[in-house]
């Protein structure tokens, strides 16, 4: 089968989790022995990067006259020229790993598209009025024009179906998760850098967006300090906050007099992040909304104790194996669950549902079902 894959949207090292998802999935396809050809459609500003990440004799690259970082220009190219480019390259089936695709349907090209979540529907305040109009229109068009729409959890599938009253062509396939248990930096290099003691700090990967609920963890550390709770750590390490948000967070930390209790890291690569996870007392993930929620699962794979919420997809993807707060906004509840996790043994989990081999096989089977009709 000749499978087109649109990567013209991918902004190297800026697209976050969807970049990891797409590249992991493509390399998962290549691990199978199916006699497929994979035609990757690239933008001028991601060509070199993607060619360095995906290398195989079954892969062909098509450079398109667009730039991923030029959002408006890419949108115009996508709707005026993308299907023509696909047809010129003899593509009769195309996979769109994100919801970005032309807003009209091609009679000649079958397609599968992924919608990872509908965050803007639940948190419209993050976006401009125009952006919210676009998101809602784009989601509706994807649901209408795709032969199949993939969502990444059962929760997201149900959320989309309930929001758009649309059920005919939606399936869910979990995200692939790849964790290298050997990619762990020596903690000696990290403890002096951040003034840490093994097992005497909590770690989180979190942003300052409202739904990420980071402020609840800050208030939890404040609660531990003010109540002089001695049997659990009172130090939190945070990765994932930068730019103006970092300044806002620093102001909150100063207001709460927690300068000695909270560490904000700069960007951390995988081996440093993994070391911070495995040497922490426990990994905390306070999010109120996730389409999937990879960080707590990755922490479980590394053997960390995890305290998180039951919100949206989180209990689903962590398989009920974590400790869960009942009230994500309550510092007292967080302290209670942190105390509970102290009694638990560390376990390295692994879930077959998230294996790249299994996930990529489910996608390929779906591609064959759609493409061969």
């Amino acid at each position: 089968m000749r499978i087109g894959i649109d990567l013209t949207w991918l902004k190297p090292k800026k697209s976050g989790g969807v970049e990891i998802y797409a590249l992991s999935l493509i390399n998962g396809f290549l691990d199978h022995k199916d006699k497929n050809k994979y035609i990757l459609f690239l933008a001028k500003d991601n060509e070199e990067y993607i060619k360095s990440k995906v290398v195989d004799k079954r892969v062909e690259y098509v450079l398109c006259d667009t730039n991923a970082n030029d959002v408006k220009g890419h949108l115009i190219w996508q709707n005026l020229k993308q299907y023509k480019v696909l047809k010129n390259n003899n593509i009769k089936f195309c996979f769109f790993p994100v919801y970005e695709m032309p807003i009209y349907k091609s009679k000649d090209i079958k397609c599968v598209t992924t919608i990872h979540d509908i965050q803007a529907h639940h948190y419209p305040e993050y976006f401009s009025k125009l952006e919210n109009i676009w998101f809602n229109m784009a989601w509706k068009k994807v649901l209408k024009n795709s032969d199949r729409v993939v969502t990444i959890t059962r929760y997201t599938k149900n959320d989309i179906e309930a929001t758009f009253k649309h059920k005919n062509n939606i399936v869910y396939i979990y995200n692939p998760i790849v964790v290298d248990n050997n990619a762990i930096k020596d903690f000696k290099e990290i403890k002096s850098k951040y003034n840490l003691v093994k097992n005497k700090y909590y770690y989180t990967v979190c942003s300052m967006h409202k739904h990420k609920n980071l402020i609840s963890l800050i208030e939890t550390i404040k609660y531990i300090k003010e109540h002089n709770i001695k049997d659990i750590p009172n130090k939190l390490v945070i990765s994932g906050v930068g730019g103006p948000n970092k300044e806002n967070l620093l102001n909150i930390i100063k207001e709460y007099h927690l300068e000695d209790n909270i560490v904000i890291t700069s960007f951390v690569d995988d081996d440093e992040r993994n070391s911070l996870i495995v040497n922490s007392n426990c990994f905390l993930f306070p999010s109120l909304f996730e389409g999937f929620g990879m960080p707590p699962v990755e922490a479980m794979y590394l053997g960390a104790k995890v305290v998180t919420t039951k919100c949206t997809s989180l209990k689903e993807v962590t398989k009920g194996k974590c400790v869960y707060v009942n009230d994500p906004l309550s510092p007292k509840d967080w302290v209670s669950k942190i105390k509970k996790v102290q009694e638990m043994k560390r376990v390295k989990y692994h879930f077959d549902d998230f294996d790249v081999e299994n996930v990529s096989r489910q996608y390929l089977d779906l591609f064959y079902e759609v493409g061969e009709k």
Side-chain angles (χ1 to χ4, degrees):
M1 186 174 173
R2 190 171 171 82
I3 299 173
I5 302 178
D6 174 42
L7 295 176
T8 59
W9 52 272
L10 193 153
K11 304 175 183 69
K13 299 183 180 180
K14 295 180 183 177
S15 294
V18 289
E19 174 188 323
I20 297 169
Y21 153 84
L23 295 179
S24 297
L25 198 53
I26 292 168
N27 282 301
F29 297 156
L30 297 170
D31 286 339
H32 293 285
K33 302 303 180 183
D34 305 54
K35 296 180 180 179
N36 298 319
K37 279 285 186 182
Y38 298 95
I39 298 81
L40 307 188
F41 292 85
L42 315 180
K44 290 185 286 188
D45 54 350
N46 67 25
E47 177 190 16
E48 184 177 342
Y49 177 77
I50 292 172
K51 284 183 175 179
S52 72
K53 297 292 184 181
V54 182
V55 181
D56 193 277
K57 63 182 180 181
R58 291 166 291 168
V59 173
E60 297 175 15
Y61 309 98
V62 176
L63 180 61
C64 301
D65 187 22
T66 185
N67 288 289
N69 287 285
D70 177 10
V71 177
K72 291 182 180 178
H74 179 259
L75 188 62
I76 293 169
W77 172 86
Q78 186 175 63
N79 285 284
L80 295 182
K81 298 182 179 180
Q82 186 164 27
Y83 278 143
K84 184 177 180 180
V85 171
L86 294 177
K87 290 176 185 177
N88 288 343
N89 285 275
N90 193 29
I91 298 299
K92 295 180 179 171
F93 172 85
C94 189
F95 173 47
F96 294 89
V98 295
Y99 71 91
E100 290 187 27
M101 64 180 297
I103 60 174
Y104 63 95
K105 186 174 180 65
S106 170
K107 295 180 181 178
D108 303 315
I109 300 171
K110 301 285 187 181
C111 64
V112 169
T113 310
T114 303
I115 298 178
H116 294 262
D117 61 50
I118 51 172
Q119 182 192 101
H121 172 75
H122 298 284
Y123 295 91
E125 64 270 25
Y126 293 168
F127 308 96
S128 69
K129 186 175 181 180
L130 185 61
E131 285 174 320
N132 280 304
I133 291 171
W134 165 251
F135 285 135
N136 279 281
M137 183 185 73
W139 290 326
K140 289 176 182 177
K141 289 293 184 182
V142 164
L143 291 166
K144 180 180 178 181
N145 295 334
S146 301
D147 294 277
R148 290 288 189 281
V149 173
V150 177
T151 65
I152 57 176
T153 54
R154 186 187 302 107
Y155 162 78
T156 304
K157 178 179 184 290
N158 294 339
D159 191 26
I160 292 170
E161 289 177 345
T163 301
F164 296 104
K165 312 302 179 187
H166 186 103
K167 296 186 178 182
N168 298 333
N169 60 343
I170 306 175
V171 300
Y172 76 88
I173 302 174
Y174 287 124
N175 275 347
I177 295 182
V178 180
V179 175
D180 185 353
N181 279 277
N182 296 314
I184 300 175
K185 183 174 287 187
D186 189 338
F187 189 64
K188 292 178 182 178
E189 299 178 36
I190 296 173
K191 66 178 183 180
S192 57
K193 181 178 179 180
Y194 299 120
N195 189 27
L196 301 176
V197 176
K198 183 174 181 177
N199 200 42
K200 297 297 182 181
Y201 67 92
Y202 315 112
Y203 184 51
T204 190
V205 178
C206 202
S207 74
M208 281 290 284
H209 283 109
K210 177 183 174 183
H211 72 280
K212 292 296 187 179
N213 193 33
L214 179 58
I215 191 67
S216 288
L217 295 190
I218 305 301
E219 290 174 346
T220 298
I221 299 301
K222 179 172 178 278
Y223 184 95
I224 293 170
K225 185 176 180 181
E226 287 180 346
H227 289 77
N228 197 26
I229 301 173
K230 298 293 188 182
D231 54 345
I232 56 174
N234 63 3
K235 194 159 195 171
L236 173 66
V237 180
I238 304 167
S239 297
V241 179
N245 287 325
K246 183 176 181 180
E247 190 65 32
N248 293 338
L249 180 56
L250 287 170
N251 288 334
I252 294 170
I253 291 169
K254 186 176 181 181
E255 179 187 347
Y256 287 171
H257 306 292
L258 296 175
E259 294 92 337
D260 295 332
N261 302 89
I262 296 179
V263 177
I264 306 172
T265 73
S266 55
F267 170 81
V268 293
D269 52 23
D270 286 351
D271 60 347
E272 183 168 321
R273 181 205 63 172
N274 292 349
S275 184
L276 284 166
I277 289 173
V278 300
N279 290 288
S280 68
N281 180 274
C282 57
F283 184 82
L284 307 179
F285 197 69
S287 183
L288 305 176
F289 178 89
E290 295 291 330
F292 188 95
M294 282 190 180
V297 180
E298 291 170 332
M300 294 168 76
Y301 274 34
L302 289 164
K305 302 175 183 180
V306 177
V307 182
T308 185
T309 76
K310 301 174 184 177
C311 298
T312 61
S313 64
L314 285 170
K315 194 165 185 179
E316 178 185 349
V317 299
T318 57
K319 308 293 184 181
K321 300 293 186 181
C322 298
V323 171
Y324 302 92
V325 293
N326 295 313
D327 181 358
L329 303 180
S330 166
K332 189 174 181 180
D333 197 4
W334 279 100
V335 168
S336 170
K337 298 307 186 294
I338 289 170
K339 286 185 175 182
K340 180 178 179 179
V341 86
Q342 303 304 310
E343 305 166 6
M344 299 171 60
K345 293 182 178 179
R346 294 177 181 266
V347 178
K348 283 189 177 181
Y349 287 97
H350 181 87
F351 304 125
D352 290 344
D353 284 348
F354 309 142
D355 275 349
V356 175
E357 181 181 358
N358 292 341
V359 172
S360 57
R361 171 48 61 195
Q362 290 180 68
Y363 271 92
L364 287 174
D365 289 345
L366 182 63
F367 294 171
Y368 301 151
E369 177 191 336
V370 171
E372 293 174 1
K373 276 191 177 180

